């Protein structure tokens, strides 16, 4: 599994080590049984539905009923059938989980200034960018959107977070260019 960070995704020009790892685990557990792969995708989709209220709470004040409603909408929306039904779409839910949790923990790190939130920010950014390339462009946009919507002038950990996330982005780009 360690070498997945140094090989392309299948016979493509994509670089998605986390997707390769989850597919490899599925292959080891389920063999060629497609039901197992679909079950994993269903579980990933459920995680997306559960994490969505956390992500939205970064921008909006939601009560418990609104949080439940957002999870239900994401969970049963017809577009979810593609993610669950098509096993090759695994990069999307992994990226969305990573993006949503990166921004959630980024906001906590900025407001509370706790180093454990920085760790989780980096961990989930890693999950996002190593699952699908789109995250490398979307994450900075989400962070900028969060930063411009804040009223407080709290600048805790801004420099450290910027440096660490920038380093992760450069590391991803170097690995991707080396592999592809």
């Amino acid at each position: 599994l360690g070498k997945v960070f140094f090989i392309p995704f299948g016979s493509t020009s994509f670089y998605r080590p986390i997707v390769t790892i989850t597919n490899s685990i599925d292959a080891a557990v389920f063999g060629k049984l497609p039901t197992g792969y679909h079950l994993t995708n269903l579980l990933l989709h459920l995680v997306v539905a559960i994490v969505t209220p956390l992500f939205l709470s970064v921008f909006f004040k939601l009560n418990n009923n609104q949080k439940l409603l957002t999870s239900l909408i994401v969970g049963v929306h017809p577009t979810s059938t593609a993610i669950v039904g098509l096993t090759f779409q695994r990069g999307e839910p992994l990226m969305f989980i990573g993006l949503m949790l990166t921004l959630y923990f980024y906001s906590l790190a900025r407001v509370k200034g706790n180093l454990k939130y920085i760790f989780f920010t980096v961990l989930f950014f890693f999950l996002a960018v190593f699952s699908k390339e789109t995250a490398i462009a979307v994450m900075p946009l989400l962070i900028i959107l969060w930063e411009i919507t804040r009223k407080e002038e709290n600048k805790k950990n801004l420099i450290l977070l910027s440096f660490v996330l920038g380093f992760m982005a450069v590391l991803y780009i170097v690995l991707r260019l080396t592999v592809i």
Side-chain angles (χ1 to χ4, degrees), residues 75-86:
V76 300
H77 194 277
T79 59
S80 65
T81 59
I83 302 255
V84 174
L86 304 172

Side-chain angles (χ1 to χ4, degrees), residues 27-28 61 70 77 101 104 115 117 151 154 172 174-176 180:
K61 300 266 188 225
T70 59
H77 194 277
L101 289 175
Y104 176 74
L115 286 178
Y117 297 132
K151 291 187 174 107
N154 188 351
Y172 166 82
V174 167
L175 280 171
R176 185 180 193 288
I180 304 299

Side-chain angles (χ1 to χ4, degrees), residues 6-18:
F6 305 101
I7 59 173
F9 179 60
S11 298
T12 69
S13 61
F14 294 120
Y15 180 64
R16 299 179 180 170
I18 301 297

Side-chain angles (χ1 to χ4, degrees), residues 94-162:
L94 286 167
M95 180 190 68
F96 283 127
I97 293 165
L99 286 174
M100 290 190 289
L101 289 175
T102 298
L103 189 64
Y104 176 74
F105 284 108
Y106 175 86
S107 69
L108 290 176
R110 291 280 284 112
V111 171
K112 298 185 181 200
N114 192 319
L115 286 178
K116 74 178 177 183
Y117 297 132
I118 293 175
F119 170 78
F120 285 115
T121 300
V122 171
L123 177 71
F124 288 112
F125 182 64
F126 178 85
L127 172 68
V129 295
F130 286 92
S131 294
K132 191 164 182 190
E133 302 79 10
T134 311
I136 201 87
V138 174
M139 194 68 249
L141 296 174
L142 287 172
I143 289 173
I144 290 167
L145 178 64
W146 184 84
E147 289 287 347
I148 63 175
T149 60
R150 305 310 326 148
K151 291 187 174 107
E152 71 258 1
E153 291 296 319
N154 188 351
K155 299 295 181 195
K156 290 181 185 175
N157 294 322
L158 179 61
I159 294 171
L160 179 60
L161 278 165
S162 300

